Amino acid sequence: MRTEAKMTGTATARATGMSQSKLSKIENGMLLPSVTDVERLVAELAATRETRIELVELARSLHAEAETRRVVLHRGAHRHQQTISRVEARAATSRFFQVNLVPSLLQSESYLRIVLGTMPQSEQEAAVAALRIRRSRMDDLAKQFVFVLTESALRWRMGSAELMAEQVEHLAAIQRRPNVRLGVVPWSADANVVALHGFQIYDERVVTVSVLTGNATITDPLDVREYLALFGRLERLAVRGEELQALLKRIAEDHRRLG
């Protein structure tokens, strides 16, 4: 189009308010232009109405696709709690799976302090405050919270024997809430499922994964569906009801006995 309009790259860049190097990258397929960039280019190069509509819509769809394929890494517990709090506020159903840690919404205050123990005191307080806001949403009976843990998550010692026993008993109390569904995959389960890490799913839109240096947010629909399928398989392995109560009681007693 620029060639047909008999405009140089320098003149086109100046007319559209971008650098010549940026325009060159766009023309050579090295940079995805913004929708605004495309709108300025098609206007300056006198494109037909049909071409304008086609190229602007193409830019919009490419940006939407690029956004869904993006995995965003958030650093810092406080920032993560704020990000997740906003996602949870909109979610009708939140699903949580953990391999070796009790999910933050289910942690007792003592257990939470151990988890946050390596952080500076000011960051601890900010993270605790953000978590309290998240926990308050569990009082909204219109929202559903589904938790699946491995037995190892409850046996992984994060503090004293008494602290761990109290944490397990805390779970037994929380799972009686009408909008909370808790299941534990026992060691004896014939799993045949590979779950490399814990994750959280909010409705069918967002997945978050905790890694060593931060927390990743995944929004690609195909990826989210894979996590939903994995969660379903894990949930079918979990025990509930009286069997779960018996398992929780046994784990708490084991912690106290081992001291």
Side-chain angles (χ1 to χ4, degrees), residues 68-87:
T68 60
R69 295 300 302 180
R70 198 159 58 107
V71 177
V72 182
L73 182 67
H74 303 279
R75 300 181 187 275
H78 178 215
R79 181 179 295 179
H80 175 61
Q81 293 289 357
Q82 289 182 322
T83 300
I84 294 307
S85 182
R86 290 192 293 270
V87 175

Side-chain angles (χ1 to χ4, degrees), residues 125-239:
E125 295 304 324
V128 169
L131 181 57
R132 282 181 180 143
I133 294 174
R134 290 179 57 204
R135 286 177 171 173
S136 69
R137 296 199 180 98
M138 295 179 71
D139 295 329
D140 183 353
L141 298 183
K143 294 180 177 292
Q144 297 296 311
F145 298 85
V146 186
F147 300 90
V148 176
L149 316 179
T150 65
E151 184 174 340
S152 60
L154 304 181
R155 292 189 181 273
W156 189 279
R157 293 287 289 271
M158 292 295 293
S160 68
E162 188 58 32
L163 181 151
M164 290 303 302
E166 289 176 355
Q167 172 61 74
V168 174
E169 290 165 352
H170 180 66
L171 290 180
I174 287 182
Q175 64 100 23
R176 298 191 186 99
R177 288 174 174 243
N179 61 336
V180 172
R181 193 161 79 240
L182 173 65
V184 174
V185 180
W187 282 350
S188 57
D190 186 9
N192 291 320
V193 175
V194 177
L196 298 177
H197 51 74
F199 55 89
Q200 300 81 46
I201 311 173
Y202 300 97
D203 289 334
E204 287 77 38
R205 299 181 299 107
V206 180
V207 174
T208 63
V209 178
S210 296
V211 294
L212 181 62
T213 57
N215 299 273
T217 302
I218 302 168
T219 55
D220 179 74
L222 292 176
D223 292 337
V224 173
R225 282 199 291 272
E226 284 195 36
Y227 276 100
L228 281 166
L230 174 58
F231 190 88
R233 293 196 296 273
L234 292 165
E235 192 173 15
R236 287 190 289 274
L237 295 169
V239 296

Side-chain angles (χ1 to χ4, degrees), residues 239-257:
V239 296
R240 302 185 184 282
E242 293 183 2
E243 192 174 358
L244 173 59
Q245 291 285 30
L247 177 60
L248 294 178
K249 181 179 179 181
R250 187 163 63 250
I251 294 172
E253 290 172 349
D254 286 345
H255 278 299
R256 288 195 171 102
R257 185 174 62 256

Side-chain angles (χ1 to χ4, degrees), residues 23-49:
L23 178 63
S24 177
K25 289 178 181 177
I26 291 172
E27 290 184 348
N28 287 282
M30 298 172 62
L31 176 68
L32 176 61
S34 69
V35 174
T36 300
D37 289 336
V38 175
E39 288 174 336
R40 288 174 179 170
L41 284 166
V42 293
E44 190 62 37
L45 299 175
T48 64
R49 182 176 181 278

Side-chain angles (χ1 to χ4, degrees), residues 7-121:
M7 290 183 67
T8 65
T10 301
T12 303
R14 187 184 302 115
T16 54
M18 65 180 70
S19 68
Q20 188 175 357
S21 62
K22 178 179 179 180
L23 178 63
S24 177
K25 289 178 181 177
I26 291 172
E27 290 184 348
N28 287 282
M30 298 172 62
L31 176 68
L32 176 61
S34 69
V35 174
T36 300
D37 289 336
V38 175
E39 288 174 336
R40 288 174 179 170
L41 284 166
V42 293
E44 190 62 37
L45 299 175
T48 64
R49 182 176 181 278
E50 292 76 12
T51 299
R52 292 187 188 193
I53 293 172
E54 179 184 358
L55 293 182
V56 170
E57 286 305 311
L58 178 59
R60 285 201 180 98
S61 65
L62 287 172
H63 275 283
E65 181 180 342
E67 182 65 25
T68 60
R69 295 300 302 180
R70 198 159 58 107
V71 177
V72 182
L73 182 67
H74 303 279
R75 300 181 187 275
H78 178 215
R79 181 179 295 179
H80 175 61
Q81 293 289 357
Q82 289 182 322
T83 300
I84 294 307
S85 182
R86 290 192 293 270
V87 175
E88 282 179 347
R90 297 191 297 269
T93 302
S94 301
R95 301 171 176 87
F96 306 83
F97 170 71
Q98 277 293 352
V99 179
N100 60 3
L101 194 71
V102 175
S104 54
L105 287 180
L106 301 182
Q107 292 172 5
S108 67
E109 287 291 322
S110 299
Y111 188 101
L112 173 62
R113 292 293 178 180
I114 294 291
V115 173
L116 301 178
T118 59
M119 297 170 53
Q121 188 65 30

